[in-house]
Amino acid sequence: MRGGRGRRWRGRYDMNLWFVVFVGPFAAGLLIFGYIPLLWSVGLSFFEAHNTVTPSWDRWVGLGNYVDMVADPAFQDALLTFVVFAAAIVPLTFLCSLGAALLLLHTRRGQAFFRSVFFLPTACSYVVAALIWKMSIFSGVRFGVANTVLAWGGLDPVPWLSVIEPPWYWMVLVSARLWLQVGFYMVLLLAGLHRIDPTIYEAAAVDGATGWAAFRHVTLPLLRPTSIAVLLLLLVNAFQAFDEFVNILATFTGYPPYARPPLVYLYYVALGRGQDFGHGNAGAILLILLIGVIALAGRRLTPESD
């Protein structure tokens, strides 16, 4: 009987056993390093937790931490920083990625080579790219790459990473993120373009729709599901901006309120001098809820597939 039960549990050809062997470690890691910390963060957000992750019940504050974070001017400035950053990086990345995808789509020779060239920056670390941008390209000194190019045109050098009017460091931040992620979204949009049936363009050409007309009335409508998915991913990734702000701005600007996105602000709240895990986790949960709302809104905008 025991042998029969064991064989039934293992399944035909030991499929159940191998399923547990291969999926079990991943599921255990997801539970230990994903769901349990998330639930613990939710719990900590209802406590006054300074310098401890196991507060006592007499420090229960309920929704007080959430109210404090919503009313905190620094947290509001961090959200405003995200809005400014997203307003710049999301449309720029989408347009550059779409342009690169269209160029590759109509490239007859060396398509694999150029696809690899565009995609290669995706493999670069955000920290490494941020340091290169800060120390070599936009260093602010006369012999930096950016100021050298300006000198060729007879222009004065620009202190890119200092708090001046206008704040030039936004160009540094946006260009670094743009270089890092255009290749990835180009591949997604290129896959969406390949899904469009060429016969549709042939039918449109018969009706006189070529060039811009074909792009406007054929390509863009049929690329809408992929475009919405890309825009949603870009918006969520803008929420997660951290490495470039930390490595580019920390030394030069001292983090003025308008140059500190939500994750950087919460990092210093939870892991800074005060180690306020209660307010830090409450702010993180608010960001998760906000991202969830954005994801649901994007899902409603996506047409149902046939």
Side-chain angles (χ1 to χ4, degrees), residues 224-225 227-229 231-233 235-236 239 288-304:
R224 183 186 174 192
S227 300
I228 292 176
L231 290 172
L232 181 60
L233 288 173
L235 198 58
V236 172
F239 253 117
I288 292 175
L289 295 176
L290 189 55
I291 292 174
V293 170
I294 294 174
L296 291 175
R299 179 66 182 87
R300 292 183 62 88
L301 292 174
T302 305
E304 296 291 338

Side-chain angles (χ1 to χ4, degrees), residues 209-228:
T210 58
W212 169 252
F215 175 76
R216 178 182 177 184
H217 297 290
V218 177
T219 303
L220 286 181
L222 295 179
L223 197 63
R224 183 186 174 192
T226 305
S227 300
I228 292 176

Side-chain angles (χ1 to χ4, degrees), residues 142-276:
R142 289 186 303 170
F143 50 81
V145 175
N147 283 336
T148 299
V149 174
L150 291 178
W152 292 344
L155 301 176
D156 295 330
V158 174
W160 299 98
L161 299 175
S162 62
V163 183
I164 59 175
E165 295 294 339
W168 292 105
Y169 57 80
W170 279 109
M171 184 178 295
V172 184
L173 294 168
V174 171
S175 62
R177 174 63 74 99
L178 192 66
W179 180 77
L180 283 165
Q181 64 183 14
V182 161
F184 175 76
Y185 296 104
M186 176 206 69
V187 171
L188 298 182
L189 291 170
L190 188 61
L193 290 172
H194 279 298
R195 293 182 59 186
I196 301 176
D197 191 348
T199 59
I200 300 178
Y201 290 104
E202 296 174 2
V206 172
D207 294 334
T210 58
W212 169 252
F215 175 76
R216 178 182 177 184
H217 297 290
V218 177
T219 303
L220 286 181
L222 295 179
L223 197 63
R224 183 186 174 192
T226 305
S227 300
I228 292 176
V230 167
L231 290 172
L232 181 60
L233 288 173
L234 283 170
L235 198 58
V236 172
N237 285 335
F239 253 117
Q240 298 173 344
F242 180 82
D243 293 322
E244 57 267 58
F245 281 86
V246 169
N247 291 282
I248 290 177
L249 295 181
T251 303
F252 291 88
T253 65
Y255 285 124
Y258 47 86
R260 186 167 54 183
L263 284 187
V264 175
Y265 170 71
L266 294 177
Y267 173 80
Y268 283 102
V269 168
L271 299 177
R273 185 176 300 177
Q275 292 195 349
D276 189 351

